[in-house]
């Protein structure tokens, strides 16, 4: 007996070709009815027997588009309705939106094939997309995901594109980003002074290729924002880019023309290859092969042996790399410390002193994003930056959505977390909120989100540090919205982020939380950063920490590893580092030490101190530089003996000064820097396992920026496996302060403290 059934599919199902897929499947099953997007996802009505409807739903779930993520589904009977055929209807939204935001997807194989095919009408079209690829989040203005609700609405489809859009047998059937040369996005090439050079795409691609090969720097607008590009084998061009971008030593990302060329130049494991070719297409940190010849490694990543590599994410970048056939530098279009630029006027104003030429286009970007960055330590994926392709959804969230909550995150690696409905959204990385431009972008994005979801938060969560810009803004917003305000301690939020990622809040097991980073205000007024917590019965308690040492010179300490070394050496040993300071500095800092009352347990600063002790760097030009150089040195150790610098010591709190003194003794004895660096990280790994055993914890959850160190993660994983201890790391989110906003959300909902 034929009845009418309603199917609702929720999850990442808008902007992924789901409705065309349902349409095709319904015709295959010879069903009548309709499909549309709505505020909950995808709504389907079909006329069928109950058996046939169940069979159709099963097929739908089994064969759904690869880039979709189904989180829930339902099948229910409706009053009998009459349908003459099966149709895709215009989207309806009668209530507030309750669906994930669809992330951007890299160009698919079919679109790549078309832009390379001289007989295809999209040959050479730089903004070719389909239902399976292209920008989504970057161009969203409101919901549901329809062309009218994106910045593509400014481009009216020509008759051929319209035919594709309405043809059920076409790959672009209901492709909301559909366009072509006749009706689509236009490129233009100009000098740094704004003088037009070319507007035809083939001419621009050819010209830009030549400009890059001639040593020029080109600012190119991709679908997620501007990139600064130059030849990766031109040391002079890279040097100019470093000087103009004010980025003296921080590594640059590489854009490669093909996977085959990456395999030729780099060691590539299965996990790395899968990440490189995924729909997110992040930058992946790789080990170059010894015979690599086409790159000036020292200029691209000074002092480091690994490089960040990615493949073209868009048709525009694919065409450019097809023309170049060599790897290029492709770094965020900004001045160091500012957010990625997405508007031509802004780019010209801020980058005309950096770039020699500009490639603009006329597609507006609602949500500009940096490229995501990941690395691997054995089988463990480490997210270094979560942005394009990975943000802003947190799918399979443990949060309930009963209250409208905004979490403001931290200060340096800033993100915000938002729960306006039954879904959780964690924004892409913004950067350091000390920057006015970053702070402005962060605030604008919060405003856009509250508008997008038509929701005003009832609760605002902030970091317990009262002077963080995120905390200051959070207090202002809570006051403006008449929302409840809750401060949450920084490192407890880190710990909660891990518990949330791994859904451990309901466990009866006692879990050790190891949270190591650079800074965060502790409950006792000290600067925490080397913390051990225990989670049990819904509570988080501080268990132990690294020995307190002096924190002097405010933010300067985080930028000068020599200051950390001075503070962490016992007073009797400080004379050995006197040569790192001028006479005036030596007197000033010793006076500070005598009067100082502010203490720290920071492991981030301990890494800085050891790096300075090993003469890897006394000052830094970017956050984490000293730790990266130390990690690089540790990777170079090929011996089998691992030093435990705390061997035989009994401790509850880690004795920082004894550890530093023993490393100094090893250096004085003439041990190789690589062996000392490796031994230092080995000692840290052992200290975690020792603390777990002492406190009878069989599971350790690790968070904080220090756990982006692949040597530490791999070493800890190997040792824990031998001892039968389970490890949990951030995997969806970065272990650095990007996870604080999510941790704040989890802490607020689950922790009883």
């Amino acid at each position: 007996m034929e009845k009418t059934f309603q199917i609702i599919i929720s999850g990442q199902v808008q902007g992924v070709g789901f409705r065309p897929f349902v349409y095709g499947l319904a015709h295959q099953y010879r069903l009548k009815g309709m499909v549309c997007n709505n505020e909950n996802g995808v709504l389907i009505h079909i006329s069928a027997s109950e058996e046939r409807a169940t069979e159709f739903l099963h097929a739908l779930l089994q064969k759904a588009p690869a880039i979709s993520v189904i989180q829930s589904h339902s099948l229910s009977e409706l009053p009998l309705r009459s349908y003459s055929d099966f149709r895709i209807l215009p989207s309806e939204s009668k209530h507030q939106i309750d669906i994930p935001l669809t992330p951007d997807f890299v160009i698919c194989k079919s679109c790549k094939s078309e832009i390379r095919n001289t007989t295809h009408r999209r040959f050479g079209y730089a903004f070719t997309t389909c239902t399976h690829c292209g920008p989504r989040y970057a161009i969203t203005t409101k919901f549901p995901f329809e062309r009218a609700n994106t910045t593509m609405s400014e481009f009216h489809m020509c008759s051929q594109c319209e035919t594709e859009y309405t043809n059920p047998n076409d790959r672009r059937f209901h492709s909301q980003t559909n366009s072509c040369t006749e009706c689509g996005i236009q490129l233009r090439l100009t000098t740094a002074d704004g003088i037009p050079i070319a507007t035809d795409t083939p001419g621009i691609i050819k010209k830009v290729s030549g400009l890059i090969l001639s040593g020029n720097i080109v600012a190119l607008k991709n679908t997620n924002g501007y990139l600064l590009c130059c030849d990766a084998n031109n040391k002079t061009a890279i040097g100019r880019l470093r000087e103009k971008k004010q980025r003296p030593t921080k590594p640059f990302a590489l854009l490669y023309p093909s996977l085959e060329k990456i395999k030729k130049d780099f060691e590539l494991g299965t996990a790395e290859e899968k990440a490189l070719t995924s729909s997110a297409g992040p930058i992946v940190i790789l080990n170059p092969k010894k015979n690599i010849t086409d790159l000036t490694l020292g200029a691209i990543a000074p002092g480091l042996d690994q490089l960040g590599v990615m493949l073209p994410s868009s048709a525009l970048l694919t065409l450019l790399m097809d023309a170049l056939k060599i790897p290029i530098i492709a770094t965020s279009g900004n001045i160091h410390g500012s957010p990625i630029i997405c508007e031509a006027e802004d780019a010209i104003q801020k980058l005309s002193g950096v770039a020699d030429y500009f490639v603009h286009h006329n597609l507006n970007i609602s949500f500009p994003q940096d490229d995501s960055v990941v690395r691997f330590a054995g089988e463990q994926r480490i997210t270094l930056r979560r942005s394009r392709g990975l943000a802003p959804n947190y799918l399979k969230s443990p949060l309930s959505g009963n209250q409208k909550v905004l979490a403001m995150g931290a200060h340096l690696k800033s993100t915000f977390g938002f729960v306006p409905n039954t879904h959780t959204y964690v924004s892409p990385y913004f950067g350091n909120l000390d920057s006015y431009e970053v702070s402005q972008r962060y605030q604008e994005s919060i405003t856009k989100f509250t508008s997008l979801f038509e929701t005003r938060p009832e609760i605002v969560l902030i970091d317990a540090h009262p002077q963080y810009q995120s905390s200051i803004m959070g207090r202002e917003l809570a006051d403006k919205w008449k929302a409840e305000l809750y401060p949450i301690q920084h490192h407890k939020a880190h710990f909660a982020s891990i518990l949330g990622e791994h859904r451990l809040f309901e466990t009866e097991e006692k879990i050790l939380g190891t949270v190591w980073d650079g800074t965060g205000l502790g409950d006792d007024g000290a600067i925490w950063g080397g913390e051990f917590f225990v989670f049990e019965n819904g509570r988080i308690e501080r268990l132990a920490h690294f020995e307190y040492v002096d924190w002097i010179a405010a933010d300067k300490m985080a930028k000068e590893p020599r200051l950390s070394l001075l503070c962490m050496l016992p007073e009797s040993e400080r004379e050995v580092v006197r040569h790192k300071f001028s006479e005036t500095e030596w007197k000033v800092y010793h006076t500070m030490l005598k009067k100082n009352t502010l203490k720290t347990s920071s492991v981030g600063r301990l890494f800085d101190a050891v790096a300075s002790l090993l003469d890897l760097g006394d000052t830094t030009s970017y956050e984490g530089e000293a730790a990266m150089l130390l990690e690089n040195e540790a990777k170079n150790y090929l011996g089998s003996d691992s030093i435990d610098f705390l061997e035989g010591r009994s401790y509850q709190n880690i004795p920082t000064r004894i550890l530093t003194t023993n490393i100094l003794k090893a250096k004085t004895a003439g041990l190789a820097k690589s062996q000392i660096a490796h031994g230092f990280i080995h000692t840290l790994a052992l200290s975690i396992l020792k603390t777990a055993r002492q406190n009878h914890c069989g599971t350790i959850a690790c968070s904080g920026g220090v756990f982006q160190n692949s040597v530490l993660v791999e070493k800890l994983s190997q040792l824990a496996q031998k001892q039968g201890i389970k490890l949990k790391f951030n995997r969806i989110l970065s272990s650095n302060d990007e996870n604080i906003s999510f941790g704040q959300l989890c802490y607020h909902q689950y922790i009883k403290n």
Side-chain angles (χ1 to χ4, degrees), residues 521-711:
L521 182 63
D523 292 338
D524 58 0
I527 304 296
W528 288 4
E531 312 309 309
F532 293 99
F533 298 98
V534 67
F535 171 75
E536 192 173 21
N537 299 323
R539 295 184 179 276
I540 289 176
E541 302 291 345
R542 191 182 190 213
L543 189 67
H545 57 86
F546 274 68
E547 174 192 3
Y548 280 148
V549 297
D550 288 293
W551 180 287
I552 60 172
D555 292 344
K556 198 172 183 181
M557 188 158 164
K559 297 171 183 175
E560 298 191 17
R562 62 181 185 158
L563 289 176
S564 293
L565 177 57
L566 181 64
C567 291
M568 292 186 188
L569 281 172
E571 190 172 351
S572 60
E573 304 288 350
R574 287 174 183 164
E575 196 65 30
V576 299
V577 298
R578 185 170 189 148
H579 65 281
K580 294 178 181 285
F581 302 89
S582 70
E583 280 302 314
T584 301
E585 288 173 334
W586 189 251
K587 290 176 184 176
V588 169
Y589 292 136
H590 268 73
T591 301
M592 283 185 180
L593 284 167
K594 286 175 184 176
K595 296 180 179 179
N596 182 64
T597 57
L598 184 60
K599 304 294 181 179
T600 185
S601 58
S602 170
V603 177
R605 299 293 76 82
L606 177 59
F607 267 83
D608 288 351
V610 175
S612 177
L613 181 54
L614 297 182
D615 300 317
L616 300 176
D618 292 328
T619 60
T620 62
S621 67
Y622 63 90
E623 190 195 359
E625 181 177 7
M628 289 171 68
L629 293 170
L630 187 63
E631 176 191 6
N632 195 77
E633 194 67 53
K635 278 180 177 288
N636 291 332
Y637 179 61
L638 303 176
S640 55
D641 295 332
S642 298
I643 304 171
D644 178 5
F645 286 110
L646 293 176
E647 187 176 7
R649 290 277 173 182
S650 177
Y651 54 82
Q652 176 73 8
N653 293 331
I654 313 299
T656 304
R657 287 192 177 87
I658 291 172
L659 174 57
T660 312
T661 301
N662 287 344
I663 292 171
L664 174 60
K665 288 177 182 176
K667 182 193 177 190
T668 306
L671 266 67
K673 289 182 184 180
S674 60
Q675 185 175 8
I676 296 172
H678 181 271
F680 166 63
I681 294 173
H682 177 73
T683 303
L684 294 184
L686 289 175
S687 74
I688 296 172
L689 296 171
K690 183 175 182 178
T691 302
R693 289 195 306 274
Q694 285 176 346
N695 293 280
H696 312 290
C697 297
T699 298
I700 306 170
C702 303
S703 189
V706 169
F707 289 100
Q708 291 184 325
N709 185 304
S710 63
V711 177

Side-chain angles (χ1 to χ4, degrees), residues 60-80:
L60 190 152
L61 298 174
Q62 292 294 315
K63 300 175 182 179
I67 55 176
S68 66
V69 179
I70 296 174
Q71 291 181 286
S72 65
H73 61 273
S74 64
L75 174 68
S76 58
E77 187 178 340
L78 295 174
L80 187 64

Side-chain angles (χ1 to χ4, degrees), residues 7 9 12-13 15-29 31 34-35 37 42 44 55-70 86-88 131-132 167-175:
I7 296 172
I9 306 292
Q12 187 175 289
V13 291
V16 296
F18 209 92
R19 287 176 300 165
F21 156 70
V22 172
Y23 178 95
L25 193 65
H27 276 262
Q28 186 181 322
Y29 274 71
L31 297 174
M34 69 87 192
V35 60
N37 285 338
V42 172
I44 305 163
E55 188 182 333
F56 174 72
L57 174 59
H58 181 74
L60 190 152
L61 298 174
Q62 292 294 315
K63 300 175 182 179
I67 55 176
S68 66
V69 179
I70 296 174
F86 195 92
R87 295 184 181 182
I88 296 178
T131 52
H132 306 299
N167 180 4
N169 298 315
D170 196 284
R171 196 172 90 257
R172 292 187 172 85
F173 181 44
H174 276 262
S175 172

